[in-house]
């Protein structure tokens, strides 16, 4: 990795002070609810191995409602975004009732979906339940998306859902794309397709080797392709037609400030918390169960939020192996928590890929 430019290093130093302050105060700003582990697709890269019929039952909405009451007792609910995820949230027939409960307790809410079951009728029902934001996944065009998602016809369903949400103009909306070796050569085509639909926000990320993706070489970009992805995102942002961003995967050296609208900072456990389907209290839902901090069936959520989360807020324990002597440690802080195994070892370093 080449030396950071003086301008970039100065900017990173300023941002680091703001990040340190955020860690100290750790205000909850996003709360993810893994409302189900059931899913109607069979994605190649799934880290949780969701199934149409999951071993863990859907959490009753009343149980999550108690979590929201805990949060509202300590914080302004209008300042905490609830992100409903899964599995596939639309597999819950009572999703609109869940949304209504969240809305009536004073919280804004959104959802992440594959779009397969998002009919116009279902969408209107969710809007009436207070839906404020939505993300739909699109991992390629035509057969490339179907290949990634493991179900024929999933591209047509996702594209129709994306078009419907864009045309409605009712919610804050973006599309997220998991870039793999099959879709990488077609990034410009995907971009142009999304622009044609009228999309304004597009997030891209790469696959980390966990779950089904761990033994699938077709999913892992080469170092050259990873570099090409950064160049593509930077160039797309400069064109200014669609707001492309690389997801919060890791520190990117001299690409910081060019491929995202912010500098890298893993906010898991700092501003982001989650409640998993079995009641586990965690941070980003992508993080291993080894780093859960409690369970809503034994613990009060806000008590856990205020007094635990030590591994997330003091990350000096990550400063080992390759990270021990890394000169970018103070900016990276060990990378994303989802890239650590059960023993705390680094699974993947995005800076190394560059």
């Amino acid at each position: 990795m080449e030396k950071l430019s003086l301008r970039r290093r100065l900017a990173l130093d300023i941002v680091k002070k703001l990040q340190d302050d955020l860690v100290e105060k750790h205000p909850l700003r996003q709360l993810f609810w893994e409302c189900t582990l059931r899913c109607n697709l069979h994605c190649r890269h799934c880290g949780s191995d969701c199934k149409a019929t999951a071993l863990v039952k859907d959490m009753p909405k009343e149980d999550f409602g108690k979590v929201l009451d805990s949060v509202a007792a300590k914080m302004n609910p209008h300042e905490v975004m609830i992100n409903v995820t899964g599995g596939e949230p639309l597999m819950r027939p009572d999703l609109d009732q869940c949304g209504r409960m969240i809305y009536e307790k004073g919280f804004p809410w959104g959802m992440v979906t594959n779009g397969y079951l998002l009919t116009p009728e279902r969408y209107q029902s969710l809007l009436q339940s207070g839906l404020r934001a939505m993300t739909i996944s699109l991992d390629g065009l035509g057969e490339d998306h179907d290949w990634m998602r493991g179900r024929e016809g999933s591209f047509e369903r996702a594209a129709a859902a994306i078009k419907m949400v864009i045309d409605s103009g009712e919610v804050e909306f973006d599309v997220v794309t998991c870039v793999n070796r099959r879709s990488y050569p077609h990034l410009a085509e995907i971009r142009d397709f999304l622009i044609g639909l009228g999309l304004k926000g597009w997030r891209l990320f790469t696959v980390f080797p966990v779950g089904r993706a761990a033994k699938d070489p077709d999913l892992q970009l080469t170092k050259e392709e990873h570099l090409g992805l950064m160049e593509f995102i930077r160039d797309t942002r400069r064109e200014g037609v669609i707001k492309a961003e690389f997801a919060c995967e890791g520190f990117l050296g001299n690409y910081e400030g060019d491929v995202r609208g912010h500098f890298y900072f893993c906010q898991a456990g700092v501003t982001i918390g989650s409640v998993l389907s079995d009641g586990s209290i965690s941070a980003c839902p992508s993080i291993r169960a080894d780093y859960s901090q409690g369970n809503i069936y034994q613990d009060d959520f806000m008590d856990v939020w205020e007094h635990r989360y030590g591994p997330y807020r003091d990350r000096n324990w990550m400063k080992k192996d390759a990270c021990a002597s890394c000169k970018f440690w103070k900016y990276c802080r060990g990378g994303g928590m989802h890239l650590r195994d059960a023993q705390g070892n680094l699974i993947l370093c995005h800076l190394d890929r560059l």
Side-chain angles (χ1 to χ4, degrees), residues 104-120:
E104 290 180 347
K105 288 181 180 293
F107 293 85
W109 73 281
M111 62 181 290
V112 181
T113 175
N114 59 44
Y116 195 92
L117 297 175
L118 192 65
T119 63

Side-chain angles (χ1 to χ4, degrees), residues 15-27 333:
V15 169
K16 183 182 180 301
K17 294 179 181 178
L18 299 175
Q19 293 173 350
D20 289 342
D21 185 60
L22 200 61
V23 171
E24 182 179 352
K25 295 178 179 178
H26 51 266
R333 304 172 196 245

Side-chain angles (χ1 to χ4, degrees), residues 45 112-113 135-141 144-145 148-149 155 158 162 174-184 186-191 193-194 199 201-207 221 229 232-233 242 244-247 249:
H45 61 305
V112 181
T113 175
T135 294
I136 294 179
S137 300
L138 188 81
D139 296 331
L141 300 180
D144 288 346
H145 178 83
M148 189 68 164
R149 292 285 163 172
F155 168 75
I162 291 169
D174 69 355
V175 166
V176 63
T177 295
C178 180
V179 183
N180 55 76
R181 299 210 69 195
R182 182 161 170 166
S183 63
Y184 173 78
H186 307 292
L187 287 175
E189 298 167 53
I190 299 171
R191 176 196 60 202
F193 173 78
L194 293 173
L199 185 70
W202 184 28
R203 279 182 294 143
L204 301 95
F205 68 101
T206 55
V207 181
L221 298 184
L229 174 61
F232 171 80
I233 295 175
I242 187 171
E245 293 209 1
F246 188 61
E249 293 289 291

Side-chain angles (χ1 to χ4, degrees), residues 225-243:
E225 290 168 338
H226 187 69
L227 180 63
L229 174 61
M230 296 302 108
E231 295 285 326
F232 171 80
I233 295 175
R234 184 185 63 185
D235 293 346
T236 298
R237 288 177 64 84
R238 288 175 175 172
E239 290 170 3
V241 180
I242 187 171
K243 184 182 177 182

